[in-house]
Amino acid sequence: MPGCPSSPPFPHRADGPPAARPAAGETTVFADRPLDDQQPFVEPDYSSWDIAQHGPEPRPDWLVTDRNAIDTELGLLKTGKEADVHLVHRGVPGGDECLLAAKRYRTAEHRMFHRDAGYQEGRSTRRTRDVRAMEGRTTYGRHLLTGKWTLAEFSALGQLWAAGVPVPYPVQCLETELMLEFIGDDDGSAAPRLAQCRPSPAELDDLFTQCVDAMMIMARAGYAHGDLSAYNMLVQDGRLYLIDVPQIVDLVSNPQGPGYLERDCRNVCSWFAGRGLRTAEFDLLFGDLMAEAVARW
């Protein structure tokens, strides 16, 4: 898409799958030195598909689910405060293959979602001991929270994907690792974030329409993203994708839901309006979304 930078492709190894160059910071900009100069090659391993929790059906045709498939880690796509995302090649020797994004949440000792209590209002945990442990931030409780956020994002992506929201397909979930559809090119070039793009006026209008449509579908299902901004959207071949949804908010059961939706609207409209789109009006968008959310009840 014009106006959107593309990440450098992963250089291919002569003896097998492509090797990656790791990302720096929270962007998808890759380092200049090849992977071989920075870290040892990671040996391939059999796919964990048969022991993981699977995404919704019908599954996409491109997804490899053969138990004989090999998962080969290619490198780091991006780092974040709560998780790192790695590029993984899954393929049957001499057969089908696909690229996946493996999102791995940090251990409880090294990450914690900011304001996580507000996001979790309206979610239930049955075991009283678990609730006390999470509220007290004990070691056991922090491990529970890490797994809970992984499962929360996996579940949210499944619901949103099934509802028609443009999100990466959630392939599988295993402990604190979430395997997702890789949004990018076949050569391993990752799709840029919306914040990295400099779209033309026509492209800007189209992207805003796609964003509003996605938010409308979510509101119709009773949800708000909760942390939506130009940094949580990808653009691939002119198509917009919403990412990073572990904090998805229920607009009905969570009393802070409308507040999170209001913030999403302000973030989105501020970004598009700041680039010259006059139709990006916060009041109208927030009102329309709340009307959709209320109408379902």
Side-chain angles (χ1 to χ4, degrees):
M1 177 180 182
C4 286
S6 59
S7 299
F10 286 90
H12 287 268
R13 298 170 58 92
D15 58 347
R21 289 178 288 178
E26 291 200 41
T27 70
T28 52
V29 178
F30 291 91
D32 292 330
R33 292 183 293 125
L35 179 65
D36 290 342
D37 294 339
Q38 300 182 31
Q39 61 186 55
F41 175 64
V42 178
E43 290 297 327
D45 197 4
Y46 280 103
S47 163
S48 56
W49 171 262
D50 59 336
I51 59 173
Q53 186 173 344
H54 301 157
E57 296 182 349
R59 300 188 182 103
D61 293 337
W62 53 262
L63 179 59
V64 177
T65 60
D66 194 307
R67 292 187 177 184
N68 294 316
I70 300 276
D71 280 358
T72 306
E73 188 161 321
L74 304 183
L76 186 65
L77 285 174
K78 80 177 187 73
T79 61
K81 295 178 181 178
E82 287 83 30
D84 296 329
V85 182
H86 299 255
L87 184 66
V88 173
H89 173 275
R90 173 174 291 179
V92 179
D96 295 333
E97 58 181 352
C98 66
L99 289 176
L100 301 173
K103 184 172 184 178
R104 294 166 188 158
Y105 281 89
R106 297 184 185 280
T107 60
E109 291 76 17
H110 296 90
R111 44 81 40 212
M112 186 60 64
F113 278 86
H114 63 293
R115 303 186 305 276
D116 63 345
Y119 288 118
Q120 293 194 69
E121 286 194 53
R123 300 182 186 177
S124 62
T125 301
R126 294 183 179 181
R127 295 178 59 189
T128 305
R129 174 174 175 261
D130 291 352
V131 174
R132 290 198 303 267
M134 286 187 287
E135 290 177 346
R137 296 298 192 267
T138 65
T139 300
Y140 171 65
R142 291 196 299 271
H143 279 291
L144 284 175
L145 281 171
T146 303
K148 188 169 185 178
W149 280 111
T150 309
L151 189 58
E153 180 160 26
F154 179 70
S155 176
L157 283 170
Q159 294 178 62
L160 296 178
W161 187 84
V165 180
V167 294
Y169 176 74
V171 173
Q172 65 181 59
C173 179
L174 182 62
E175 297 179 349
T176 58
E177 180 185 76
L178 180 62
M179 294 281 253
L180 305 169
E181 173 186 2
F182 170 68
I183 306 299
D185 297 330
D186 292 340
D187 64 1
S189 301
R193 299 168 188 259
L194 176 61
Q196 297 175 275
C197 297
R198 299 295 179 265
S200 68
E203 293 166 343
L204 192 71
D205 183 70
D206 179 62
L207 290 171
F208 181 68
T209 298
Q210 291 185 55
C211 181
V212 170
D213 288 346
M215 296 176 74
M216 199 69 71
I217 297 173
M218 292 182 67
R220 199 171 295 134
Y223 297 112
H225 184 284
D227 194 27
L228 190 61
S229 73
Y231 294 92
N232 284 337
M233 289 183 268
L234 303 179
V235 180
Q236 176 69 16
D237 297 329
R239 186 180 178 190
L240 195 74
Y241 293 85
L242 276 57
I243 60 171
D244 297 336
V245 297
Q247 71 293 310
I248 188 172
V249 177
D250 191 306
L251 291 172
V252 176
S253 65
N254 189 329
Q256 299 187 49
Y260 284 117
L261 178 61
E262 180 180 6
R263 188 178 65 187
D264 285 352
C265 293
R266 288 192 184 279
N267 288 342
V268 166
C269 290
S270 294
W271 191 88
F272 280 98
R275 280 146 188 80
L277 188 64
R278 296 182 178 181
T279 56
E281 299 181 32
F282 159 75
D283 291 337
L284 292 178
L285 178 58
F286 179 64
D288 289 345
L289 293 174
M290 283 303 300
E292 285 291 333
V294 172
R296 72 187 289 264
W297 299 99

